[in-house]
Amino acid sequence: MAVKKKYILVVNPISGDLDKTEILNKTEAFATQYEVDIIVYETSGKDDEEAIKNLYKVHKPERVIIAGGDGTIKMVAEALEKQNVIFGIIPSGSANGLSVDLNLPTTLEENLAVVFGLNFIEIDMISINGKKSIHLSDLGLNAQLVKNYENSSTRGKLGYALQIFTTLNERGEPFFATITANNETINCDAQMIVIANSQKYGTGVTINPNGKLNDGKFELVILKNLDLVVFAKIITGNIPVNFEDVAIISTTKATISLTEAVSFQIDGEYIGQETELEVEILPSQMKVTIL
């Protein structure tokens, strides 16, 4: 009798303020159809990386399915960064930017067909002060929004929307940055600097039209004079960034130095205030299923 394949399903039970029962039930149904054994792990926010590493050692799965948002994907990818494993994504978080950039389907059944399918690509990651970023990180206004969201009690898109007003009220003067990349140094004032491995925020709005997840480069998107109206439109996904006060630098390595500490987030997780970032591309770091 042939030995069944094993997949691990990592579920973040609180991401996006969504009930994950349907995801569990339908994933089990697909697993039965594809003759796969599913090992379910629910994150708790405590020692999850170590637990996932141990699960991998015990079961040696061919594939790891992640039901959560960008933060959950990042955590699992870091836990298994040294393993030759294919990841499948079921977007179910407050921020699902990576799934938007991968053009994953919107229904659970279609997503599961992708997760159990044969097609995958190898995507890059970015190292920022030694921390990994898969999707989009930034300094400035959006990072402050992420901080306010994490400290609020309302999850999901409504939670983000409620914190826009708070973040705009806290908005101060632009910060001054010195950016070194491609053997050039640029000095500028900015309201936001995005470190982008891809094109879109989870809302679907394009912040980096040049972005590709597997091109061996990242982009620095410098938003210089970001007024309140434009910021609100970017966050709510109503318009792409196409106004004049934007500069985009495509590179493999950069240093960003600030004259004052500025809020910083990685893949939807608030990191803290930073004054200097060392940024470098990490090519072909993660295998992900796609259509």
Side-chain angles (χ1 to χ4, degrees), residues 10 31-33 39 87 97 99 111-112 129 132 135-136 166 169 195 197 204 220 234 236 243:
V10 178
T32 300
Q33 178 186 339
I39 299 100
F87 295 93
S99 68
N111 259 299
L112 284 167
N129 288 0
K132 302 286 182 64
H135 182 238
L136 291 171
T166 301
N169 275 346
I195 303 166
N197 190 33
L220 297 177
I234 289 172
T236 55
F243 52 98

Side-chain angles (χ1 to χ4, degrees), residues 152-216:
S152 73
S153 58
T154 306
R155 303 289 92 183
K157 289 185 177 179
L158 176 60
Y160 272 115
L162 291 173
Q163 292 308 315
I164 289 174
F165 182 75
T166 301
T167 305
L168 292 178
N169 275 346
E170 294 172 351
R171 172 179 174 265
E173 293 298 313
F175 56 88
F176 184 79
T178 299
I179 298 170
T180 303
N182 301 326
N183 296 315
E184 294 182 359
T185 299
I186 297 170
N187 296 306
C188 61
D189 289 316
Q191 290 283 359
M192 272 175 66
I193 298 176
V194 184
I195 303 166
N197 190 33
S198 54
Q199 292 190 0
K200 300 174 183 177
Y201 279 111
T203 55
V205 67
T206 298
I207 192 76
N208 175 33
N210 302 331
K212 291 184 180 178
L213 286 160
N214 60 347
D215 64 353

Side-chain angles (χ1 to χ4, degrees), residues 11-283:
V11 180
N12 183 338
I14 65 169
S15 64
D17 200 23
L18 301 170
D19 184 359
K20 304 303 189 300
T21 304
E22 183 184 15
I23 289 174
L24 290 168
N25 291 341
K26 290 191 175 179
T27 303
E28 290 281 4
F30 264 78
T32 300
Q33 178 186 339
Y34 282 83
E35 298 183 336
V36 171
D37 277 336
I38 291 285
I39 299 100
V40 177
Y41 175 78
E42 291 196 7
T43 62
S44 65
K46 184 179 180 182
D47 299 324
D48 288 318
E49 282 197 40
E50 199 61 35
I52 290 166
K53 286 178 183 178
N54 290 333
L55 266 183
Y56 184 90
K57 287 178 185 176
V58 171
H59 297 286
K60 294 293 193 296
E62 293 185 19
R63 199 161 292 196
V64 174
I65 305 168
I66 307 167
D70 290 334
T72 307
I73 295 166
K74 177 176 176 291
M75 183 272 292
V76 178
E78 289 185 333
L80 301 178
E81 63 181 345
K82 296 180 181 178
Q83 309 302 336
N84 183 20
V85 64
I86 297 173
F87 295 93
I89 296 171
I90 302 173
S92 50
S94 301
N96 301 300
L98 182 60
S99 68
V100 172
D101 263 295
L102 290 169
N103 293 315
L104 295 182
T106 55
T107 71
L108 178 56
E109 289 83 359
E110 288 174 318
N111 259 299
L112 284 167
V114 172
V115 163
F116 282 84
L118 298 176
N119 294 334
F120 68 89
I121 61 170
E122 293 189 34
I123 65 173
D124 305 330
M125 291 187 190
I126 303 172
S127 171
I128 308 173
N129 288 0
K131 298 179 184 294
K132 302 286 182 64
S133 172
I134 300 173
H135 182 238
L136 291 171
S137 305
D138 52 54
L139 289 156
L141 270 180
N142 187 61
Q144 188 63 37
L145 173 63
V146 169
K147 177 186 178 182
N148 291 337
Y149 172 79
E150 288 182 358
N151 291 334
S152 73
S153 58
T154 306
R155 303 289 92 183
K157 289 185 177 179
L158 176 60
Y160 272 115
L162 291 173
Q163 292 308 315
I164 289 174
F165 182 75
T166 301
T167 305
L168 292 178
N169 275 346
E170 294 172 351
R171 172 179 174 265
E173 293 298 313
F175 56 88
F176 184 79
T178 299
I179 298 170
T180 303
N182 301 326
N183 296 315
E184 294 182 359
T185 299
I186 297 170
N187 296 306
C188 61
D189 289 316
Q191 290 283 359
M192 272 175 66
I193 298 176
V194 184
I195 303 166
N197 190 33
S198 54
Q199 292 190 0
K200 300 174 183 177
Y201 279 111
T203 55
V205 67
T206 298
I207 192 76
N208 175 33
N210 302 331
K212 291 184 180 178
L213 286 160
N214 60 347
D215 64 353
K217 294 182 178 181
F218 65 89
E219 282 72 43
L220 297 177
V221 184
I222 306 161
L223 293 87
K224 299 174 184 177
N225 297 313
L226 190 59
D227 66 32
L228 304 187
V229 174
V230 172
F231 174 65
K233 287 180 177 179
I234 289 172
I235 297 304
T236 55
N238 292 330
I239 62 164
V241 174
N242 57 6
F243 52 98
E244 291 180 0
D245 289 318
V246 177
I248 299 178
I249 301 168
S250 184
T251 188
T252 60
K253 192 173 183 178
T255 300
I256 304 171
S257 299
L258 311 175
T259 55
E260 61 185 286
V262 175
S263 291
F264 176 59
Q265 67 89 17
I266 294 179
D267 293 340
E269 178 187 358
Y270 183 72
I271 303 299
Q273 291 194 319
E274 300 288 350
T275 57
E276 182 141 343
L277 299 179
E278 293 288 342
V279 191
E280 186 174 1
I281 197 70
L282 303 172

